[in-house]
Amino acid sequence: MGSVQIVTTILAFAITAVAVWLAARAVMKMVAVIRLGQPDPTRFGDKGTRTKTMLAETAGHTRMLRWSVVGAAHWFVMVGFIVLSLLVLEAYFEVVSPTGGLPLVGSWALYGLVTEWLAILGIVSILVLIAIRLRNRPTRPGGKSRFTGSTMWQGYFVEGIILAVLIMGFVIRGFKVATDHFEYPVWAAPLSHAVGGLLPNWEAGVSVAALIKIAISMTWLIVIALNVTMGVAWHRFLAFFNIFFKRDPGADVSGLGALRPMTSQGEPLDFEEADPEKDQFGVAQVEQFTWKGLLDFSTCTECGRCQSQCPAWNTGKPLSPKLLVLSLRDHAYAKAPYLLAGGGKDLTGEEKATAAQLAHVDVLALAEGEKPLIGTAEEGGVIDPDVLWSCTTCGACVEQCPVDIEHVDHIVDMRRYQVLIESSFPSEAGVMLRNLENKGNPWGAPQNTREDWTKGLDFEVPRVGEVDDFEYLFWVGCAGAFEDRAKKTTRAVATLLNEAGVKFAILGEGETCSGDPARRIGNEFVFQMLAQQNVETLNEAFEGREKSKRKIVATCPHCFNTLGNEYGQLGGEFEVVHHTQLLAHLVATGKLTPVQPVDGGVTYHDPCYLGRHNRVFAPPREVLGSAIAGEAGKGDGGLIEMPRNSERSFCCGAGGARMWMEEKIGKRINVDRVEEAMSTGARTVAVGCPFCSTMLNDGVNGKEAGDQVEVVDVASVLLRSVKPEQAPGDTERAPVAG
C-alpha cells in the first residue's frame, strides 16, 4: 500500500464512519416518530400477498411505468441505485489498492457487462429525469407545475449526486484500463475502455477516483441523515415498507373504495359504548394518525403526481394533496421532540407531561405542540379549513401516488374530528346532515314519495315483500327517487330491466340513504345509524339466501360503493353491481338489442366512485358502443374519449359531500369538466352517476350551452336505442341551479 492509498483509505473510512453514525441516528429518530402513531393491527395480515405486491410495485415498477418515459427512466435509476451500490462497495477495495475489486463476482465478465450497461442507462435516465424536472420547474412561464411546493434543491441534489456517482464509476474503470488493471474485455465494458483511452497511465488515479466516489456517496448519506424529512431521498428506503403495509394489498389501488373505519387504539369504534373523553373520535393531533399514516407522510417523495391530478388544485382551490401531506410530515417531525419527551394533550385537552419532562425540550418543538391541526393562518393551524373542505374524495391522489399514500383516509379522519367533536364544517352542509337524520335522505323529501318515480310506467314495479322470486333488488337511491333528472335514469333502468325480462324488486319506502354523504363529510355517527338500518332491512329482504344470490343493482356509484364495499363492515354481505354492468351483460347476451343508432357523437364521463374507486371502466363504454352502432352497425360520430378518462378521469366536483357545499374558491370543477367534454365536439355527454348528471348539467347551463350538448345517463342513451318510441320526454332539462 503506497502513501496515496494510505491517505485515501483513512479518509474513505473516516467519512464513512461519520455518515453511517449519522444515518443510524436518523433512522432511529424516524422509527421513533412513526411509532408515535396509533396502533393499526390490520396492516400485518396476508404477508404473502403483501410481499408479492411490494415486489411487483418496486422491482416491476407496475405503477410508475404507467407514465412511460418517466417510469422507464425511474426504473433504470432505481435498479442502478440498488445494483451499483456494489460498485460503491468495490470502491472501498480500490482506495486500498489500484488493483482491488469485489471478491468472487468482481472478475466475472458478466458482472462487468451488467454493471456497465446499468451505469450507461442510469446516466441517460437521470439526465432525462433532470430535464423533466427543469422543464416542469414551478418558475417556468405558463401552467401549473406538479413540483410547485416541492423542495427543489433536494431534488436537484439527489439527481446530481446520482449522476456524479455514476460518472465516477466510469472514471475509476477508465484509470484501471489506462493502467492495464481492468478485468473486463471491450465487449463487456465498451464505455469504460473508451474513457480509459482518454486518461493517463496514473496508477494512483484509481484510488483517488474511488475516494471521490465514496466521498460523494457519503456526502449524500450525511445530508439526508441531517434532513429526515427529505422524502425525495428517504423514499428509496421507506417505499418498500409503505407499499408492504398498504391497506389492501390485493386491490388494484389500495386506499380507494371503502373508507377506513373510525378506530380508537387500533379497534373499530362502537358508538353505543364510545366516550369522547376516553375514545378517539377522528384525528385532532398529528400523533392521533396511525403509525401507517406517519409512515405515509415520511415516504412522500414530493413528485407531485397527486397534485397534478387533483380537481381542487387544478381549479384554483387551496388543496394540494402533496402539500397537505408535506405539512403533516413537517409538523410531525417538528413536534416530535415534545412528544418523545412525554408531551401531548389527552382527549380532554389536558397536558400529559410534567413540567420536569418538558424542561429541556426545545422551545420550537413546544410551540409546534400548541398548533391546532386544523386552523387558519391567524390561528397558526397546520391545515387550513379551506384545504380540508376542498377535497371531493375523488381518489385521484391515491390512484396516482407511486408509493401508495392513502390521502383520502387521512383527510376524512381529520374531518371526523371537526364534525363530531368541534361541530365545525361548512354551514350549508348542516341542512343535508339534518335531513339525513330526520328524513333519511339529503334532500329532506317525504319518505312516502320514494315510489313516485314509478307513476306512469306501463308495467308494475314489484316491491320486496310482495314478491319473493326476484333476482335483483333494485336499489333506487335518494337521487334516483327524489331528484328530477335522476328519476329519468331510474325509470330508464326499470324499463330496460323489464324489457329484458329481469326479475327485480324495490324496497320502496323501506329504503333510506346509504349514508355516503354523511360518512365522507366526516359524520360517522349518522352513517352508522343509516347503514345499520339498511343492513337490517336488506338482510331481512334476502333472508335465507347465500351471498351469491343476494344481488343488488344500483344506479348511483356512491350507493354502489357503500353497499358493496362498506356495509360488510356492519354485517351486510351483498353482491352489488352498477346498472351499467348489468345493462352491458344484458346487451352482450342478446336480452336487449339496440336498433336505433345514437347520432351526433357521444363522450363518456367516468364517475370517480364507479371508475377510479371501483375499476368499472369497460361496461359503460360497451353499452354506449352498442347504442351508437345500433342494429344497423352505423352511427354518426361514435364514442369520443375526453383527454382525461378512465382512471385519470376528472371529477365532477360533487363527491366527498361537496354536492351540498358551495364552491366559493377558484373555478368551478364542473365547469372545467364541461369545457373538456365540449372540446370533443360530441353532442351527448353520457354519465353513470346522478351526482355527475346534476353537476355537468349545471355546468352546461352555466355556460349557456344547452343547445350544443346534452348530459344524459348511459341507461337513457341505451333506452333511446332499444325503444326509440320512448325517447321523447327523457331529455327534459333542469333549470340552472341557483
Side-chain angles (χ1 to χ4, degrees):
M1 181 185 292
S3 58
V4 171
Q5 283 72 41
I6 292 173
V7 172
T8 56
T9 300
I10 292 171
L11 291 176
F13 282 88
I15 191 172
T16 300
V18 172
V20 170
W21 177 75
L22 289 173
R25 189 182 69 168
V27 169
M28 288 189 291
K29 178 179 180 180
M30 197 171 288
V31 170
V33 171
I34 292 169
R35 290 184 67 185
L36 288 168
Q38 300 302 302
D40 188 352
T42 64
R43 304 285 178 168
F44 299 95
D46 202 358
K47 291 182 174 60
T49 301
R50 291 184 181 280
T51 302
K52 181 180 176 182
T53 300
M54 183 269 290
L55 292 174
E57 290 192 23
T58 53
H61 251 42
T62 51
R63 291 172 70 79
M64 285 292 295
L65 285 173
R66 290 181 300 179
W67 305 312
S68 57
V69 173
V70 174
H74 192 275
W75 187 86
F76 281 113
V77 170
M78 181 203 72
V79 173
F81 178 83
I82 295 171
V83 176
L84 298 180
S85 295
L86 291 173
L87 296 184
V88 176
L89 177 61
E90 188 174 32
Y92 286 95
F93 293 92
E94 292 161 342
V95 295
V96 175
S97 169
T99 61
L102 279 180
L104 301 178
V105 300
S107 59
W108 294 356
L110 180 61
Y111 170 76
L113 175 69
V114 171
T115 52
E116 178 87 358
W117 282 101
L118 279 177
I120 291 171
L121 293 171
I123 288 175
V124 172
S125 297
I126 200 66
L127 288 173
V128 168
L129 295 180
I130 290 171
I132 290 171
R133 188 176 293 272
L134 288 170
R135 189 184 66 195
N136 290 284
R137 66 193 185 279
T139 55
R140 85 193 196 287
K144 285 191 173 184
S145 167
R146 62 185 173 92
F147 293 117
T148 299
S150 298
T151 314
M152 294 301 287
W153 75 263
Q154 294 179 354
Y156 293 133
F157 172 78
V158 168
E159 290 164 346
I161 287 287
I162 294 170
L163 182 60
V165 168
L166 291 171
I167 290 172
M168 289 310 301
F170 284 108
V171 173
I172 294 170
R173 287 186 165 190
F175 273 121
K176 282 189 171 183
V177 170
T179 55
D180 203 25
H181 295 316
F182 198 46
E183 305 95 328
Y184 313 122
V186 174
W187 64 265
L191 184 57
S192 296
H193 279 274
V195 172
L198 302 175
L199 295 176
N201 184 357
W202 180 35
E203 195 155 298
V206 175
S207 297
V208 171
L211 173 63
I212 294 172
K213 181 175 182 176
I214 290 170
I216 293 171
S217 300
M218 293 305 109
T219 297
W220 176 80
L221 191 56
I222 289 169
V223 170
I224 73 166
L226 296 174
N227 292 273
V228 289
T229 58
M230 194 170 175
V232 70
W234 281 107
H235 85 279
R236 295 171 183 275
F237 310 106
L238 297 178
F240 298 97
F241 300 98
N242 210 51
I243 294 169
F244 181 86
F245 289 116
K246 67 160 74 177
R247 175 146 64 88
D248 185 358
D252 287 332
V253 182
S254 180
L256 294 181
L259 276 175
R260 184 175 167 273
M262 270 184 75
T263 60
S264 181
Q265 293 300 312
E267 297 297 324
L269 200 64
D270 182 350
F271 278 93
E272 293 184 4
E273 304 288 336
D275 180 351
E277 294 189 1
K278 297 178 181 178
D279 296 300
Q280 181 180 315
F281 279 56
V283 169
Q285 304 289 336
V286 73
E287 65 272 20
Q288 291 177 349
F289 287 106
T290 66
W291 61 265
K292 175 55 169 62
L294 296 178
L295 178 59
D296 270 358
F297 309 152
S298 303
T299 307
C300 179
T301 182
E302 303 187 24
C303 68
R305 295 284 172 192
C306 58
Q307 181 172 284
S308 68
Q309 298 295 311
C310 176
W313 177 259
N314 277 285
T315 54
K317 314 293 189 293
L319 169 64
S320 155
K322 177 186 71 177
L323 298 182
L324 179 139
V325 165
L326 297 186
S327 296
L328 293 171
R329 178 198 68 189
D330 293 346
H331 173 58
Y333 281 89
K335 188 178 180 181
Y338 160 68
L339 296 172
L340 292 170
K345 303 293 193 296
D346 63 20
L347 295 174
T348 64
E350 296 297 319
E351 176 60 56
K352 294 188 288 188
T354 65
Q357 286 177 296
L358 302 179
H360 302 291
V361 176
D362 184 82
V363 292
L364 294 177
L366 291 173
E368 199 74 26
E370 295 301 318
K371 286 185 176 181
L373 189 65
I374 307 298
T376 63
E378 292 75 16
E379 295 166 335
V382 178
I383 304 296
D384 192 279
D386 284 335
V387 169
L388 186 66
W389 296 110
S390 291
C391 180
T392 66
T393 69
C394 72
C397 48
V398 180
E399 164 76 37
Q400 291 294 307
C401 183
V403 293
D404 286 308
I405 294 171
E406 297 160 2
H407 311 72
V408 173
D409 282 345
H410 305 320
I411 288 171
V412 173
D413 271 341
M414 290 186 284
R415 285 183 171 187
R416 285 166 167 167
Y417 180 82
Q418 293 300 304
V419 172
L420 294 171
I421 302 300
E422 297 291 335
S423 295
S424 176
F425 51 88
S427 58
E428 60 269 22
V431 176
M432 177 268 292
L433 289 173
R434 286 192 296 274
N435 285 337
L436 287 177
E437 288 191 74
N438 300 327
K439 300 289 188 178
N441 68 84
W443 281 275
Q447 186 72 355
N448 61 10
T449 62
R450 269 195 180 268
E451 299 180 35
D452 284 0
W453 64 269
T454 63
K455 295 176 180 177
L457 292 174
D458 57 6
F459 58 92
E460 188 71 22
V461 176
R463 279 77 174 163
V464 172
E466 297 175 2
V467 292
D468 295 321
D469 62 342
F470 61 90
E471 182 181 3
Y472 286 93
L473 188 152
F474 182 13
W475 183 272
V476 176
C478 298
F482 301 122
E483 205 272 332
D484 287 340
R485 280 171 289 217
K487 281 196 281 189
K488 295 183 177 65
T489 301
T490 307
R491 291 166 63 88
V493 171
T495 301
L496 289 166
L497 295 182
N498 182 69
E499 179 75 12
V502 175
K503 293 182 179 180
F504 70 96
I506 63 172
L507 289 172
E509 293 183 28
E511 184 184 302
T512 190
C513 180
S514 69
D516 165 85
R519 188 168 225 196
R520 274 145 187 85
I521 202 173
N523 198 324
E524 186 74 4
F525 177 79
V526 171
F527 166 74
Q528 296 269 346
M529 178 185 72
L530 294 167
Q532 286 172 358
Q533 178 181 334
N534 282 326
V535 166
E536 186 177 333
T537 300
L538 290 168
N539 282 339
E540 203 173 289
F542 289 120
E543 190 172 3
R545 297 194 190 191
E546 57 193 59
K547 181 181 176 181
S548 62
K549 295 182 179 179
R550 295 156 68 94
K551 297 180 181 179
I552 298 174
V553 58
T555 58
C556 175
H558 297 265
C559 296
F560 164 68
N561 177 70
T562 303
L563 271 63
N565 294 327
E566 297 184 336
Y567 276 17
Q569 299 170 3
L570 301 168
E573 297 291 337
F574 314 109
E575 291 289 340
V576 187
V577 298
H578 188 253
H579 71 283
T580 58
Q581 293 175 295
L582 181 54
L583 294 178
H585 171 71
L586 295 174
V587 170
T589 54
K591 293 181 179 178
L592 289 175
T593 304
V595 293
Q596 177 68 47
V598 177
D599 294 333
V602 179
T603 190
Y604 174 63
H605 163 78
D606 287 273
C608 300
Y609 274 83
L610 182 63
R612 194 156 35 236
H613 279 272
N614 285 284
R615 323 309 293 172
V616 179
F617 300 119
R621 289 172 168 80
E622 291 168 1
V623 173
L624 292 172
S626 67
I628 291 167
E631 189 177 51
K634 61 180 182 178
D636 180 21
L639 182 63
I640 310 165
E641 293 285 7
M642 286 185 254
R644 295 175 292 193
N645 65 76
S646 301
E647 68 271 8
R648 295 188 186 178
S649 178
F650 196 71
C651 182
C652 74
R658 289 291 323 173
M659 178 86 168
W660 291 275
M661 300 182 224
E662 289 298 323
E663 198 169 342
K664 301 173 183 176
I665 304 173
K667 183 180 182 181
R668 294 182 69 87
I669 293 173
N670 60 338
V671 170
D672 191 294
R673 186 57 165 170
V674 162
E675 289 173 351
E676 184 174 7
M678 291 177 64
S679 73
T680 66
R683 285 279 301 166
T684 301
V685 179
V687 297
C689 171
F691 290 4
C692 295
S693 176
T694 296
M695 298 300 285
L696 297 187
N697 264 299
D698 287 352
V700 168
N701 290 334
K703 292 191 69 66
E704 299 181 350
D707 58 340
Q708 302 172 41
V709 64
E710 174 192 15
V711 180
V712 65
D713 191 88
V714 171
S716 294
V717 175
L718 180 61
L719 181 61
R720 295 177 189 180
S721 184
V722 172
K723 303 187 73 171
E725 71 280 2
Q726 291 200 11
D730 71 354
T731 63
E732 179 186 336
R733 302 188 186 282
V736 179

